[in-house]
Amino acid sequence: MTTADDCGDGEVEPDSDLRNFGETLKACRKRAGLTQEQLAPLVRYSVQYIGSVEQGRRPPSAKFVERVEEVLDAFGVIRIAAKRLYRRRGLARWFRRWAQYEETAVTLNTYECRSIPGLLQTEAYARAQIRDVPPLPTPERAEARVVSRLARQAILGKTPFIAFSFIIEQSVIERRTGGPEVTRELIDHLLECAKLPNVDLQIMPTISPEHAGLDGPFRLLETDEHEWVGYTEGPQTGQIIADPKAISNLHQQYAKLRIQALNPADSMGLLMRMRGSL
């Protein structure tokens, strides 16, 4: 199942972010003294494509961004504008508020039983998820989702550090989404992430007679104002949780899950054995 941070935005509609990017591109093009007709053959995109991007009617592909950045000698302006754009456009509408919480969090606890959390995914794993879950997106939307997901991962290394705890079901990895090669790369990536000083990664073994997470995946986040919020999701929907009693219940569940899951050292050992069996 695709989780909310993996979903796209549905129909692409003109909005302020797309318009702002289009205006940035247009300003850089005019600074270079080029018309849309002159720019088109230089970047190997049609005049219609360039016009749609400048008018805020379609998101630019990553390849297009790199080509116009180079051709227009934009000093990184277009690339920066695209990162800001993709950070939002590749996220489901119902997930964007939570993504904003993430960027200023102090602590983030995640329990996941359906797929690898977006903050820990590799590019190949992300693309495999997008490819496998209907309805299939257009290439532009798929690219926006991948870029957005990878861009979010920058918070793993930002300072001051956010304290991350991830509890992931063993079965999620054993599913081998994308095939053995994708899974090998994924496990290597998880092992590297687990070495980060601010990341605790635990695996919940498949055989777990006692399990506090049977209600499904959830997240708990401490804001920079030291308030706690939670997040749960289902198909095409997500919910921010602020009720103190509900937050208390989620804390109790997560505390139990941390005890029931393998400790970080044993989790790393299991991951290495799983990799060896591929």
Side-chain angles (χ1 to χ4, degrees):
M1 179 180 292
T2 300
T3 57
D5 57 2
D6 302 323
C7 292
D9 189 25
E11 288 300 316
V12 175
E13 301 173 352
D15 63 18
S16 59
D17 290 322
L18 283 172
R19 287 194 297 269
N20 288 340
F21 179 84
E23 290 170 1
T24 299
L25 172 60
K26 184 177 181 179
C28 291
R29 174 177 59 77
K30 288 190 171 183
R31 184 189 68 84
L34 297 173
T35 65
Q36 291 180 356
E37 290 76 13
Q38 291 169 326
L39 178 61
L42 297 177
V43 296
R44 301 192 295 281
Y45 277 81
S46 69
V47 174
Q48 291 76 16
Y49 186 99
I50 295 171
S52 293
V53 172
E54 288 191 355
Q55 293 168 28
R57 291 190 287 109
R58 71 179 302 163
S61 69
K63 186 179 296 184
F64 176 78
V65 169
E66 290 304 315
R67 287 180 181 174
V68 292
E69 173 70 40
E70 181 179 351
V71 169
L72 298 179
D73 192 20
F75 304 102
V77 171
I78 293 176
R79 193 176 290 119
I80 292 171
K83 286 182 179 179
R84 292 174 179 168
L85 170 65
Y86 279 130
R87 189 178 292 271
R88 180 175 182 269
R89 289 300 301 180
L91 298 177
R93 281 186 290 268
W94 59 85
F95 187 76
R96 290 172 186 166
R97 185 180 171 200
W98 181 258
Q100 291 174 341
Y101 275 123
E102 283 183 340
E103 293 185 355
T104 58
V106 174
T107 305
L108 177 57
N109 299 332
T110 300
Y111 165 64
E112 186 54 71
C113 59
R114 299 177 299 181
S115 65
I116 299 298
L119 291 175
L120 298 179
Q121 291 182 12
T122 63
E123 180 176 346
Y125 182 93
R127 291 188 186 281
Q129 270 203 326
I130 291 168
R131 180 192 67 214
D132 289 344
V133 180
L136 299 181
T138 64
E140 290 81 6
R141 288 181 193 160
E143 191 67 22
R145 295 181 194 182
V146 172
V147 172
S148 175
R149 198 172 315 168
L150 297 180
R152 283 177 54 232
Q153 296 177 3
I155 66 173
L156 291 172
K158 67 173 288 190
T159 54
F161 283 137
I162 299 171
F164 291 96
S165 169
F166 297 96
I167 301 175
I168 305 171
E169 291 287 339
Q170 178 180 347
S171 58
V172 168
I173 303 168
E174 291 177 331
R175 188 176 300 132
R176 300 187 182 184
T177 299
E181 288 299 325
V182 172
T183 304
R184 286 191 196 96
E185 181 188 29
L186 174 66
I187 292 176
D188 288 342
H189 182 65
L190 292 176
L191 290 168
E192 287 301 312
C193 288
K195 294 178 183 178
L196 295 173
N198 57 321
V199 174
D200 286 332
L201 176 59
Q202 294 178 256
I203 304 298
M204 178 67 76
T206 300
I207 299 176
S208 304
E210 297 181 352
H211 198 310
L214 298 180
D215 283 348
F218 64 92
R219 308 174 198 196
L220 275 167
L221 182 148
E222 182 185 7
T223 72
D224 55 355
E225 296 179 345
H226 305 293
E227 297 177 344
W228 285 89
V229 291
Y231 181 78
T232 60
E233 62 192 14
Q236 302 296 304
T237 186
Q239 180 183 7
I240 301 288
I241 301 170
D243 177 69
K245 183 177 180 180
I247 293 295
S248 175
N249 291 340
L250 291 179
H251 274 296
Q252 292 179 56
Q253 282 184 257
Y254 203 80
K256 274 289 188 181
L257 286 167
R258 295 188 87 158
I259 295 171
Q260 294 166 347
L262 299 177
N263 64 43
D266 289 343
S267 295
M268 297 309 98
L270 175 59
L271 284 173
M272 287 187 282
R273 291 194 298 275
M274 292 171 69
R275 193 195 187 287
S277 67
L278 290 172

